[in-house]
Amino acid sequence: MTRDEQLAFCRICKNQKFDARIGIICSITDRVADFAESCKYFEEDLVLKQKLEVSQKNNLFVMNTASHGKRLANYLLDVVFYWIFAAIFLFFLGIMVAIIAPSKVQILAEENELVSYSVAIVAFLLYYTFFEFLTGRTIAKYITGTMVIDVNGRKPSFGTALLRSICRLIPFEAFSFLGEDAVGWHDTLSKTRVVNLK
């Protein structure tokens, strides 16, 4: 067993202690781990184990966060794909309205700002929520090799994906990820990150 494999046990053992010269050692033997398959002194410390898991998740967030360039590419590509999606959505919405309430079709055809904005916002929320909930990735994220993950390292739940989408509607939010860590308000408020898959 390698030192790293032994340390996987030592890091969550109640009998560990830290030596400034060597690192983690056994408090019972006062030596570094030297077991081959299992340690007879190993006692799992659930608090240490939980802290280690949280630390590993935080490292995944920080170390693997998508760069500014990828975030900008995601934004620009998703703008294009959103407008395509919105056009398709409007087309099918028109067909549904024509079937269900033919007299209301004219509302979609008229220059009505309230209807236009409402349809645009619904299409926007559907585009982002649908893709990020089902796959953790919008079409742009497939192209750039990135993915949305939650605090547990999994693709977001429906509620989290919807919250991310709603937060994108905050004025000037699109520029919030241009900060030092490439994390936007929609990431922070929904407790998610966009990470590299490779």
Side-chain angles (χ1 to χ4, degrees), residues 54-108:
V54 168
S55 174
Q56 288 171 338
K57 286 175 188 172
N58 288 340
N59 285 341
L60 176 66
F61 265 34
V62 174
M63 300 298 290
N64 204 22
T65 301
S67 67
H68 289 93
K70 284 191 177 182
R71 296 301 304 269
L72 182 59
N74 284 344
Y75 174 74
L76 295 174
L77 289 168
D78 273 331
V79 166
V80 173
F81 290 120
Y82 158 71
W83 283 110
I84 294 168
F85 178 85
I88 294 168
F89 173 75
L90 184 58
F91 175 76
F92 283 106
L93 180 64
I95 291 173
M96 287 175 52
V97 170
I99 293 170
I100 296 169
S103 62
K104 303 293 183 192
V105 172
Q106 68 187 24
I107 293 173
L108 292 176

Side-chain angles (χ1 to χ4, degrees), residues 66 70-71 73-78 81 127-148 155-156 164 168 194-198:
K70 284 191 177 182
R71 296 301 304 269
N74 284 344
Y75 174 74
L76 295 174
L77 289 168
D78 273 331
F81 290 120
Y127 174 78
Y128 281 102
T129 305
F130 172 79
F131 283 110
E132 290 185 345
F133 167 63
L134 288 182
T135 65
R137 306 165 83 182
T138 58
I139 298 169
K141 289 178 184 71
Y142 276 100
I143 294 169
T144 62
T146 57
M147 180 177 184
V148 177
K155 69 181 177 68
R164 272 180 66 83
R168 284 183 168 100
V194 176
V195 296
N196 297 305
L197 284 179
K198 298 172 185 174

Side-chain angles (χ1 to χ4, degrees), residues 181-193:
D181 54 3
V183 175
W185 297 336
H186 65 281
D187 300 314
T188 306
L189 294 171
S190 65
K191 295 183 175 71
T192 57
R193 291 293 182 273

